[in-house]
Amino acid sequence: MFRTALRNVLAHKARLLMTTLAVMLGVAFVSGTLVFTSTLSDAYAKSSAKGFEGVDVAVRPGHTGDRSEIDPGGVPDLPRELLERLRRVPGVESATGAVSGFAALADKDGGLVGQGWSTQGGNYDTGPDGTGRDPRYDLRDGRAPQRSGEVALDSRTAERTGYGVGDTVRMSVNGPVREERVVGVFDTDDGSVAAGGTLVLFDTATAQELFSQPGRYSEIVLTAAGGVGQRELERRVEEVLPEQTVATTGAELADEQARMTEQSMDGMRTGLLVFAGIALFVGVFIIANTFTMLVAQRTRELALLRAVGASRRQVTRSVLVEALVVGAIAALVGLLAGIGIGAGMRSLMGSLDATVPDGPLVVAPSTVIASLVVGVGVTVVAAWLPARRAAKVPPVAAMGSVHAPATSRGLLVRNTIGALLSGAGIALVLYATGLEDGEMPMGAGAGLLVIGVFVLTPLLSRPVVGAAAPVLRAFGVSGKLARQNAVRNPRRTAATAAALMIGLTLITGMTVIAGSVQKGIDKMATEAIEADYTVSMANYLPLSPEVERTLEKEEQVTALSPLRNSASRIDGDYEPLTGVDAEALDELLELDFTQGSFAGLGGERVIVDTATAEAHGWKAGSSFEVVYEDGERGELTVSGVYEGNEMIRGIMLDTATLDPHLEQVTSMQVMLKTAGGASESVKSSLEEALGDNPAILVQDKKDLSESIARMFTMMLNMLYGLLAMAVIVAVLGVVNTLAMSVFERSQEIGMLRAIGLDRRGTKRMVRLESLVISLFGGVLGIGLGVFFGWAAGELISGSLATYELVLPWGRMGVFLAMAALVGVLAALWPARRAARLDMLEAIKTE
C-alpha cells in the first residue's frame, strides 16, 4: 500500500501541484517570519551586549522603598556628589557621569536624520579635571566638545549626512533651533545608532542644562579595577548608595536589553504568524478539495484494492501517505523559500532606511521543526476526511463504471449543522455588542459564524449562482453550461469559494473598522478643537517654553494656550494634571459641559471630565486636596464638568497655578488661533518664526485629519499586503479545482465538442464557471466582513463616542471586482486545457 501511495503521487503530480504550492506558500510565510524575527532579535541582542562591554556596574535613579512615600514628580537625577563618592569606592577604576535625552539633527536639506525615537543626545565626560577621555566613545576625528556651541557626531551619522569636523549643523532638543559646530567624530557600539539612529554629544555642562539639571546625571557608569568582578563591585557600590538609587551589573543590563528586544519582537512575530495561519487555513480547503476529487476520480481503483483484500485502514493510510509526501515536499521547499523571504525582508528594511545592526541570518532549529510540522501536519489533517471517505468505498463498486451517487441525506445533515452553528455565531456576536468587554465572546461568535457559513455554502450556492442566470444567458450555451456546472457539485463549489470568502471577509471587515474609526477620530478632533493650529514635537516629547514665548510674539496670533502635563496625587492615587491658559481656553476648545463652564476656570478652580468626576464623586463646587509633583499640597475646587474624549480629558487648571510646582516648565502641545484663520501663508509664517525646525510640527485641522488618514491607510496597506498571501492561496484553489474538474469531465467536454461546441465556447464555459464561483465567494466574504465590521464598531463606540459606521462602497466594489478578476485569471490555464482536449480521445475516457 505504501508503494501504491507513492505511485499515486507520481501519477497525479500535475493535479497535486497546486496543493503543494498552497502549502508551500503558507510554510514559507511561517518560516520567513521566524527567520526574520530571529535575525532581528539576535542582531539587536548582540549589538546591545557589545554596547555594555565597557560597563561593569551602572548606577541609576530607581525606586527601592515604598512607592506611596515617593513624591509624584518621581526620582531625581543623580547629583555630582554621588559621582565623586563612587570614584572613591575601592575597586572602581573609573566612574563616568552620563546625561542623555532627545536631540533632533537636521541633514543638509533640513530634514530630520534618524528614526525619531532613536535620535539621541548625550555628553562626553572628560573626567574630574576636564582633560580625560570618555571610555564610552572612541574619537575618530577632531576632539571632544568643551563648551556650549560645540558637538561631536557618531561616525555613521557623519557618513550618512556628509557632515565633518568644522561644519555647522542645525538641531533641536525641545523646540528652539540650535546651531552647533562639529568639533569631533566618534565611533560607538550604541545599539540605537547601529539600528539607524543618531547620537550627538555635548560637553557635560551643556548636556546637563539641556537634558537634566546643572550638576546632575541620569546615569553613572563604573568600570572595575583588575581582579574585581562585576558582582563584587556591585556589592561594594550598594553600600554607599543613597535611597531611591539602584546599581546594576553590565551583564544584567545586557540580559535585560536582550529580553526587551525579544519581547518587542514577540508582537511582530505573533502578528505575522496570524496571517500565515490564515493562509494555511485557506490552504486547508484546497487540500481537502483536492484529495476529495482525487478519491472520487479513483473510485474504481480504490474499490478494486478493497476487492483484492485491502482493509479500510490500509486504504485510509494510503491516502494519508500521499498527503504526507505532498506535505513533506511542500514544507521543505517552503522552508527554503522562507529563508529567502527572511533575508529579503531584512534587505528591504535596509532599503527603506530602517537599518538593523549587522549580524548573520539566523535559522534556528525551532524554525526548521515548526516548518516541517506545520507543512506536514496541515496537509495530513486536511486529507484525513477524504481518506475516511476513500476507505468507505464498497468493493462491489468495482463491478460498475462509477460509484453509487451520493444521496441528499448528507447535505441535509450538513445544512442542519451549518444553520445551528451560524445561528449560534450570530447570537453570540449580537450578545457581545451589548457588553463593555465583549472581545472574547465576539471573537468566538465570529469563528462560529464563519464555520457555519462555510458548512452552509452548498445550500447558499444554488440561489446565489441562480441569481446570475439572467447575466449568463447572454453568453448562450456556454453561459448555461457554466451555471449548471457551478451548481452540479455544491460541495466542491462551496469548498472552492470558501477560501476566497475567508480572505475577503477579513479584508472587508478591517476596511470597515478602520474607515469608521478614522471618521470618528477625525470628527472628535475637528469638533473638540477650535484652534487654528497645534504645535508639537515630531516625536511628541515636551516642548520648550521658548516655543510658546516665540509664538506669543507673532502678530497674527490672537489666542494661545499650552497643554502642560504634570503628575499629582489625589486621594492616594496618581492623577495627571493639565495646565492651560484659563483666559484663552474657551476660544481654543469646544467642550460640552454637564455642569459649569469655562468661565469658572482660574486660580484654584479647575474643570474635570465626567469620568474623573464620577470616579472621585465630584460635582461642581466639590473641593479636594492635591499633592503636586514638587511634593507641596494644595486645595482645588471643581468649577465645571465636561464630556471628555480620547483627545481631551482629565483635570485642567490654570498654568499660573500649576507652573510654580513644575521642576521643568514644558508643554506637550501649544494650541493657537490666528487673526486670518488657517492658511498656507500663516502656517509658513509660524514655521519660519520657529526656525523651520524639522523636529516641530505645525498642524491645522486638515493636517491633523490627513495624519490620522495616513496612519490608517498605512495600517490597511500593511494588512492588505499580509492578507494577499491568503488571496493568492485562494486563487491556487480555484485553479486547482477547475483543472481537476476539467480532467474529471473530459468525456463530457469531448461530447460537447463533438456536437458542435467550438473551442472558444469551451473556453468561455470554463471561464464563466470560474467567474461565478469566485463572485459567489466574494459576495459571501463582503457580506460577512460588513457584519463583523458593524459588530466590532458597536464595541468600539463604547470608548469612542464619535464613532460612526462608514461603509466603503467604493472599496467594496473594488473587492468584488478583484474577486471577478481572480475568477478570470484562475480560469486561464484550465480553460485552455479544456479547449485543447482531443474530442475523440476525451469521449473514450472513462
Side-chain angles (χ1 to χ4, degrees), residues 474-547:
F475 296 94
V477 175
S478 297
K480 183 178 180 180
L481 290 172
R483 184 182 66 81
Q484 291 174 346
N485 289 334
V487 297
R488 178 190 301 180
N489 192 330
R491 286 188 178 91
R492 183 185 304 164
T493 298
T496 307
L500 193 58
M501 176 194 77
I502 292 170
L504 285 179
T505 295
L506 294 169
I507 290 174
T508 305
M510 288 187 296
T511 302
V512 170
I513 294 169
S516 301
V517 171
Q518 177 186 331
K519 180 75 171 179
I521 295 177
D522 189 26
K523 186 178 179 182
M524 178 196 301
T526 54
E527 288 184 356
I529 298 177
E530 289 291 310
D532 292 326
Y533 294 99
T534 61
V535 179
S536 62
M537 293 291 287
N539 63 347
Y540 304 105
L541 285 176
L543 280 166
S544 164
E546 188 176 329
V547 172

Side-chain angles (χ1 to χ4, degrees), residues 145 147-151 178-183 202-203 206:
R147 60 185 65 85
S148 178
E150 296 180 348
V151 296
R178 303 173 60 91
E179 290 195 350
E180 312 281 353
R181 189 167 67 89
V182 179
V183 297
F202 302 84
D203 65 283
T206 302

Side-chain angles (χ1 to χ4, degrees), residues 119-165:
T119 52
Q120 296 293 307
N123 70 307
Y124 189 98
D125 189 355
T126 54
D129 58 359
T131 59
R133 170 185 166 275
D134 193 323
R136 298 171 297 169
Y137 311 112
D138 293 324
L139 283 170
R140 174 188 289 188
D141 296 315
R143 58 175 175 80
Q146 298 173 349
R147 60 185 65 85
S148 178
E150 296 180 348
V151 296
L153 301 181
D154 71 89
S155 55
R156 290 174 183 251
T157 299
E159 290 171 5
R160 275 190 297 165
T161 58
Y163 288 132
V165 174

Side-chain angles (χ1 to χ4, degrees), residues 49 69 264 273 374 432 639 694 703 720 750 755 769 812 838:
E69 298 300 321
S264 67
L273 287 176
V374 167
S639 66
D703 294 328
Y720 289 160
I755 62 175
E769 179 185 349
M812 288 192 292
D838 184 283

Side-chain angles (χ1 to χ4, degrees), residues 546-786:
E546 188 176 329
V547 172
E548 184 183 338
R549 292 193 291 269
T550 300
L551 293 171
E552 285 176 341
K553 297 174 183 177
E554 292 297 300
E555 294 182 0
Q556 65 263 45
V557 175
T558 58
L560 179 146
S561 174
L563 292 179
R564 308 207 206 286
N565 283 359
S566 174
S568 74
R569 192 166 65 243
I570 299 172
D571 296 334
D573 297 324
Y574 282 85
E575 285 281 0
L577 300 177
T578 302
V580 296
D581 187 316
E583 295 181 0
L585 197 62
D586 61 341
E587 297 183 52
L588 302 169
L589 292 180
E590 181 65 38
L591 301 179
D592 294 328
F593 280 86
T594 58
Q595 301 176 43
S597 66
F598 282 119
L601 179 62
E604 309 300 322
R605 299 182 304 279
V606 301
I607 59 174
V608 300
D609 67 292
T610 52
T612 304
E614 290 173 2
H616 291 279
W618 296 337
K619 59 183 179 180
S622 299
S623 296
F624 59 90
E625 189 178 79
V626 59
V627 180
Y628 294 103
E629 72 171 49
D630 62 354
E632 290 193 19
R633 297 177 179 271
E635 186 173 296
L636 301 174
T637 302
V638 178
S639 66
V641 179
Y642 64 91
E643 293 286 350
N645 55 49
E646 294 299 314
M647 299 185 71
I648 306 294
R649 59 182 175 182
I651 304 171
M652 295 189 193
L653 70 163
D654 193 7
T655 52
T657 304
L658 181 64
D659 286 358
H661 301 287
L662 299 181
E663 183 176 343
Q664 288 185 317
V665 179
T666 58
S667 304
M668 294 306 298
Q669 192 178 78
V670 175
M671 300 182 297
L672 55 95
K673 207 167 184 64
T674 57
S679 67
E680 284 300 319
S681 60
V682 173
K683 181 179 178 180
S684 298
S685 175
L686 294 174
E687 289 175 338
E688 185 179 348
L690 294 171
D692 290 322
N693 194 327
I696 292 183
L697 289 178
V698 179
Q699 294 179 299
D700 57 21
K701 291 183 182 181
K702 181 182 176 183
D703 294 328
L704 188 61
S705 177
E706 288 178 351
S707 66
I708 295 170
R710 279 196 301 271
M711 178 181 66
F712 281 99
T713 299
M714 181 177 66
M715 178 190 71
L716 274 180
N717 288 340
M718 290 176 59
L719 294 176
Y720 289 160
L722 293 169
L723 284 173
M725 182 69 72
V727 175
I728 292 171
V729 173
V731 172
L732 294 176
V734 179
V735 174
N736 206 28
T737 300
L738 288 173
M740 296 184 73
S741 179
V742 167
F743 177 84
E744 188 180 77
R745 303 197 315 252
S746 294
Q747 187 180 56
E748 174 189 319
I749 293 171
M751 291 292 296
L752 290 171
R753 292 288 314 283
I755 62 175
L757 187 65
D758 59 11
R759 288 189 173 185
R760 181 176 295 177
T762 303
K763 286 183 179 180
R764 187 183 298 122
M765 175 186 70
V766 177
R767 288 169 182 165
L768 289 173
E769 179 185 349
S770 175
L771 182 63
V772 167
I773 293 174
S774 296
L775 286 174
F776 171 51
V779 169
L780 289 182
I782 291 172
L784 282 174
V786 169

